[in-house]
Amino acid sequence: WGDMTDLMGSTAHELLAQVLARYGSIDVFIARLHVLLDTPTVVRPAAVVPAAGGRHRLAEPTRRRPMTTAATPRLRG
């Protein structure tokens, strides 16, 4: 467990150092996160469905045929 704790501790310290270097303080970083999370998401319009009859339209459904099972051939020996 010692190696895992050391790794997690060093990673947390590195992350803290990066946050402080970029934002100056944890409070500024958290305020920036709140702004990003509270900003409404831009919703893209729905995709337009092409008119029927194009080259790639779905084929008409076909009638289902019952599956048949073939008898296992007998071996002659």
Side-chain angles (χ1 to χ4, degrees):
W1 285 100
D3 291 340
M4 183 66 105
T5 305
D6 294 341
L7 178 63
M8 290 172 51
S10 66
T11 303
H13 286 279
E14 290 172 15
L15 181 59
L16 179 60
Q18 290 177 14
V19 167
L20 293 176
R22 182 175 291 180
Y23 298 98
S25 75
I26 296 295
D27 292 332
V28 173
F29 173 69
I30 291 173
R32 180 72 178 134
L33 283 178
H34 279 287
V35 168
L36 291 172
L37 293 174
D38 293 341
T39 304
T41 303
V42 176
V43 178
R44 295 179 177 241
V48 178
V49 178
R55 263 179 66 192
H56 298 289
R57 77 173 197 204
L58 295 174
E60 296 296 322
T62 58
R63 292 179 63 189
R64 291 187 178 260
R65 295 186 183 138
M67 290 184 63
T68 58
T69 57
T72 304
R74 292 185 182 191
L75 296 176
R76 294 182 186 204

